[in-house]
Amino acid sequence: LEGIWSTCGCEEVVQAGGGMDPAEEQAQELDALAAIFEEEFKLLDAEADEQGAANAARFQISLDDPSSRLRARLVFRYTQRYPEEPPEMSVYVDEGMSEKHRGELLAALRDEATKELGMPMVYALHTFAKEWIAAHTANDAFAAQDASEMTFETRDLEAERRSEASNMKFHGTPVTADTFAAWQAAFEQEALAADASIIANACAADSASSACASDLAAVEARETGRQLFELSKAGVIDDSTAAFWENEAEEALSDDDRGTDYVPQEVLE
């Protein structure tokens, strides 16, 4: 910056103070700031008075610092009497500085400006701001990142808990040989009870029917499919039992064609 400073005549601008017209001082300082900060400097707007002189120029200078993850800028507006009075100042922060520190920096800048009255002070105020930030806000960006990562981690844990709770809805009793045998026994008992109920309802109108009584007794006494399979393997199924189940199978096939509520005609008679 020293080379730019001497080349642009910035030393004369800073040292001039007092004897120059405020508008002329402001114009010279703007030129010097644009040469020093280059892309970090941006002229936002400039109003003109009745004589066409540039007054109340508004501009910004970057305070960005990649090493501390700071993205911020100083915004100044000249007053008509500047530099005999401080410029209007604002601090804008995109990231890397807490709201508390932003307010403290702005207050410190306003206090520092009162010490520089009478000569161009924007460069000095920008330097003061950079030094103040380095001394007071070094951990702001890292604290913000830690808070963000902590929030993200908390959300991940909460989502995981919700997922586990949702999956529990689909978890039943684990299937083992014992639990399957218990389920099968209960299922077969329910099937027998359902068959007996159908026959009993059909016979309700004629409780004296011997056919109803014999059918009901046969249903209550018959073996389950598993029992029949085991008996068949042991060779202990007699001809009458085999004939009974063959007849049951034929009637079941016929019932499929006529509906599940079909009751054999001989039961109804």
Side-chain angles (χ1 to χ4, degrees):
L1 291 179
E2 291 181 359
I4 297 175
W5 187 263
S6 59
T7 302
C8 71
C10 301
E11 290 179 343
E12 289 83 356
V13 173
V14 172
Q15 294 172 358
M20 298 178 64
D21 177 71
E24 186 178 354
E25 285 189 284
Q26 294 169 19
Q28 289 188 8
E29 186 179 35
L30 281 176
D31 290 339
L33 293 171
I36 295 170
F37 293 105
E38 297 182 338
E39 294 182 358
E40 295 181 344
F41 173 88
K42 182 178 182 180
L43 182 64
L44 301 177
D45 54 60
E47 299 176 357
D49 60 16
E50 295 179 356
Q51 287 74 38
N55 285 314
R58 182 170 174 266
F59 55 94
Q60 72 177 31
I61 305 175
S62 172
L63 289 172
D64 290 357
D65 183 1
S67 65
S68 63
R69 302 173 186 172
L70 173 66
R71 292 179 56 217
R73 57 197 183 278
L74 272 176
V75 177
F76 297 91
R77 182 189 289 278
Y78 286 146
T79 64
Q80 290 187 351
R81 296 184 61 247
Y82 173 86
E84 298 304 318
E85 62 184 11
E88 297 176 3
M89 292 177 284
S90 301
V91 178
Y92 293 91
V93 177
D94 296 320
E95 65 177 351
M97 184 187 297
S98 66
E99 179 61 23
K100 174 178 179 291
H101 279 156
R102 188 198 69 82
E104 291 176 353
L105 171 59
L106 184 57
L109 281 167
R110 288 170 176 166
D111 182 64
E112 183 68 18
T114 62
K115 304 174 184 179
E116 303 285 344
L117 293 177
M119 60 183 179
M121 65 183 77
V122 172
Y123 180 85
L125 292 175
H126 181 271
T127 302
F128 173 86
K130 296 283 281 188
E131 294 174 350
W132 191 96
I133 290 169
H136 295 84
T137 68
N139 295 323
D140 280 13
F142 296 98
Q145 182 184 28
D146 290 344
S148 176
E149 291 176 352
M150 186 178 298
T151 301
F152 182 76
E153 182 179 355
T154 301
R155 290 175 179 171
D156 280 353
L157 290 174
E158 291 176 352
E160 186 177 341
R161 292 191 192 99
R162 288 194 297 269
S163 178
E164 290 177 354
S166 177
N167 289 338
M168 287 300 293
K169 299 176 182 178
F170 305 100
H171 291 172
T173 303
V175 177
T176 65
D178 292 337
T179 57
F180 179 78
W183 170 85
Q184 185 181 40
F187 176 80
E188 291 173 348
Q189 289 299 322
E190 291 177 1
L192 289 174
D195 289 349
S197 176
I198 292 174
I199 296 175
N201 290 337
C203 295
D206 187 6
S207 58
S209 172
S210 59
C212 284
S214 60
D215 286 341
L216 184 58
V219 168
E220 292 174 344
R222 73 187 181 190
E223 294 87 352
T224 65
R226 182 185 181 88
Q227 291 170 334
L228 287 173
F229 175 75
E230 292 174 346
L231 290 173
S232 176
K233 289 181 65 177
V236 295
I237 297 180
D238 56 21
D239 293 341
S240 61
T241 302
F244 171 81
W245 282 108
E246 289 176 1
N247 183 57
E248 285 289 302
E250 292 176 359
E251 291 184 356
L253 291 175
S254 300
D255 290 347
D256 288 341
D257 297 332
R258 290 172 289 194
T260 57
D261 294 334
Y262 170 77
V263 178
Q265 182 64 32
E266 59 271 17
V267 173
L268 297 177
E269 293 176 351

